Amino acid sequence: MSDNDAQPGSYVEAGEFKRDTNYITTRITADGRDGYPVEAGRYRLVAARACPWANRTLIVRRLLGLEDAISLGLCGPTHDQRSWTFDLDPGGVDPVLGYERLQQAYFARIPDYPRGITVPAIVDVPTKAVVTNDYAQITLDFSTEWTAFHRDGAPDLYPEDRRDEIDEVAELIFRDVNNGVYRCGFAGSQEAYESAYDRLFARLDWLTGRLRGQRYLVGDTITEADVRLFTTLARFDAVYHGHFKCNRHKLSELDVLWAYARDLFHTPGFGDTTDFVQIKQHYYVVHTDINPTKIVPAGPDLSNWWEPHHREQLGGRPFGDGTPPGPPRQAEQVPAEHWLPPQAS
């Protein structure tokens, strides 16, 4: 399999897609216990807007206001068998790391690194070596270890008194939704596909029930759990419904989840980090085993993301006692035509 999300090391067993979850688990912490202390300006987050796992880090970094503390390098939406590449930058070279390929940062840490070259990854700029690609831990550490560099008014995305519930909900979402769409798309047998399909939509039905009477997944504010669900929902109609055969319903046909997703999309940090053009390019061009022609579909019309959601009627405080982030920095803005409706872009 050629996709970062179904990276080398992932495999199909008895027709079922198995994700390689062996990541570089070194952590950047306030006390530096793994040898990498929190330090403003030292680390570079390398991400790709196309990737749902990387998109999480872009959302959390922006919500918490970590732009000054952690610089951002963006890879293009497509890649080859070897690595994500910095083809969006002048000359195809990351201006801070001096690399053409993210693979070079992995090899700087572990020569001949044998696993998938994945985003997101955090790179230690002085050594130009990857510190971690453990995407699930990266966002939690942004919330808990980088507090000294949070902006004034940053929300608490991982409140201590809610962590057990957040972790429980997030695990169910990962198993059946985040990874579930891939288990559908890369299934090697009809039986494995139908099993994954049933689990995916059963979990979406469960989420519908949970969100029918409350605005967010855990408590009355946005948490890490909402970030983790959003990036899959944002890609559902654009990619997963057709490309991965997750086609019982479109997201836009599921009233509760559709309104919930739009509510987040309209929230600063979510929609403005979503690049529908790059998302479609990535999946339809890179997954040649599923789409050998590499034709990127013209549809669907995604302007419906801007329809009113009315979820504010449920109450809730998106940022708790905090405030929304300001506008994204000019250098980090998603092109307007990639996420705004035509009349606005």
Side-chain angles (χ1 to χ4, degrees):
M1 294 179 183
S2 55
D3 177 38
N4 168 76
D5 306 314
Q7 72 262 26
S10 296
Y11 58 95
V12 173
E13 180 181 90
E16 183 177 349
F17 168 70
K18 303 286 188 179
R19 180 176 297 280
D20 180 0
T21 56
N22 291 301
Y23 299 104
I24 301 173
T25 57
T26 307
R27 292 176 60 189
I28 300 168
T29 58
D31 63 8
R33 58 186 176 272
D34 285 358
Y36 293 94
V38 165
E39 183 180 327
R42 175 171 173 176
Y43 305 101
R44 187 161 179 81
L45 171 64
V46 178
R49 296 195 187 280
C51 171
W53 320 100
N55 196 173
R56 298 176 182 183
T57 62
L58 299 177
I59 293 169
V60 173
R61 173 178 173 269
R62 180 151 146 61
L63 293 179
L64 299 179
L66 290 172
E67 293 94 335
D68 282 336
I70 305 169
S71 68
L72 177 64
L74 287 172
C75 298
T78 62
H79 58 78
D80 58 23
Q81 291 280 357
R82 290 172 56 196
S83 174
W84 292 86
T85 54
F86 295 102
D87 47 289
L88 300 178
D89 291 307
V93 176
D94 179 88
V96 172
L97 302 174
Y99 289 152
E100 296 178 354
R101 294 177 170 274
L102 180 56
Q103 183 185 54
Q104 294 168 269
Y106 277 76
F107 286 175
R109 173 76 186 276
I110 305 171
D112 299 322
Y113 180 73
R115 315 195 81 85
I117 306 299
T118 62
V119 289
I122 297 185
V123 179
D124 179 43
V125 173
T127 62
K128 299 184 179 180
V130 163
V131 178
T132 180
N133 65 340
D134 188 356
Y135 65 90
Q137 190 63 49
I138 287 172
T139 50
L140 296 181
D141 284 345
F142 282 177
S143 286
T144 60
E145 300 293 334
W146 286 82
T147 54
F149 298 100
H150 287 184
R151 66 178 175 86
D152 291 339
D156 187 352
L157 300 176
Y158 198 48
E160 193 164 358
D161 62 343
R162 293 280 193 170
R163 288 179 188 177
D164 288 346
E165 187 178 3
I166 291 170
D167 291 346
E168 180 182 359
V169 172
E171 176 57 31
L172 295 173
I173 291 170
F174 169 78
R175 186 190 70 192
D176 297 333
V177 181
N178 301 145
N179 197 45
V181 293
Y182 287 91
R183 292 176 63 246
C184 290
F186 289 109
S189 72
Q190 188 71 32
E191 181 181 9
Y193 162 70
E194 291 183 6
S195 174
Y197 176 98
D198 289 344
R199 286 175 61 176
L200 166 65
F201 282 98
R203 185 59 59 196
L204 292 179
D205 290 342
W206 180 84
L207 289 164
T208 294
R210 186 178 183 94
L211 290 164
R212 192 178 300 280
Q214 65 185 57
R215 192 170 178 184
Y216 303 111
L217 283 169
V218 180
D220 66 349
T221 64
I222 292 168
T223 68
E224 175 79 18
D226 298 294
V227 175
R228 295 188 181 199
L229 179 57
F230 172 78
T231 58
T232 296
L233 297 184
R235 288 155 177 76
F236 204 92
D237 286 4
V239 175
Y240 301 146
H241 177 268
H243 186 59
F244 280 175
K245 307 180 185 71
C246 301
N247 59 0
R248 190 192 79 178
H249 294 96
K250 293 180 179 178
L251 176 66
S252 56
E253 296 168 345
L254 301 172
D255 292 347
V256 171
L257 284 178
W258 177 225
Y260 164 81
R262 296 200 315 280
D263 186 5
L264 291 176
F265 186 80
H266 296 183
T267 301
F270 287 84
D272 56 29
T273 61
T274 302
D275 190 318
F276 287 122
V277 171
Q278 288 196 19
I279 287 168
K280 289 169 60 176
Q281 289 172 340
H282 171 70
Y283 286 90
Y284 285 102
V285 172
V286 171
H287 293 167
T288 53
D289 43 352
I290 298 176
N291 187 42
T293 65
K294 300 185 181 182
I295 293 172
V296 180
D301 179 4
L302 298 170
S303 61
N304 55 358
W305 276 95
W306 287 100
E307 295 174 355
H309 55 78
H310 305 298
R311 292 281 292 181
E312 66 278 357
Q313 297 173 6
L314 293 172
R317 303 172 301 143
F319 299 98
D321 295 329
T323 58
R329 300 181 175 199
Q330 184 173 359
E332 297 183 6
Q333 290 179 358
V334 176
E337 63 273 17
H338 289 199
W339 73 290
L340 291 171
Q343 63 270 24
S345 60

